[in-house]
Amino acid sequence: QWHYGTGKIWGTVEDASNNPLVRRVILYEYHSMLPVKECISNATTGYYEFNRLDTTTFFSVIAEDPLDYRYNDIIRSKIRAV
């Protein structure tokens, strides 16, 4: 139900120096933490995008760091699609 709508969530994945990163990006429904969609951020720009989302639902976006476990995942939480 959360992935049927007109909303969109997008962003970029970057390191602390604003360099773009390739990451697996997972969209979760905020309250249940159930995965809704996933994608890979663009290698050149770090850009990711999720389309056709319900605009009344809160989501969390997690960009995983699969290669270097010294760093935390990048998380945006309690966001809505626009």
Side-chain angles (χ1 to χ4, degrees):
Q1 79 195 41
W2 310 298
H3 54 279
Y4 296 108
T6 59
K8 179 167 89 169
I9 291 175
W10 69 95
T12 56
V13 183
E14 301 170 335
D15 66 14
S17 299
N18 295 324
N19 298 308
L21 298 171
V22 177
R23 294 290 182 262
R24 177 179 173 216
V25 183
I26 306 168
L27 179 72
Y28 294 90
E29 194 277 330
Y30 175 75
H31 296 288
S32 68
M33 284 306 291
L34 290 172
V36 177
K37 296 183 177 193
E38 69 177 69
C39 67
I40 302 295
S41 60
N42 182 281
T44 305
T45 64
Y47 183 79
Y48 66 88
E49 181 176 299
F50 298 105
N51 294 306
R52 294 184 285 194
L53 299 171
D54 177 31
T55 56
T56 64
T57 300
F58 286 104
F59 296 95
S60 292
V61 175
I62 299 178
E64 296 182 330
D65 187 355
L67 300 177
D68 193 341
Y69 297 103
R70 295 175 296 165
Y71 300 104
N72 291 326
D73 296 337
I74 300 168
I75 301 171
R76 292 178 58 208
S77 192
K78 205 168 185 182
I79 57 175
R80 282 194 176 158
V82 293

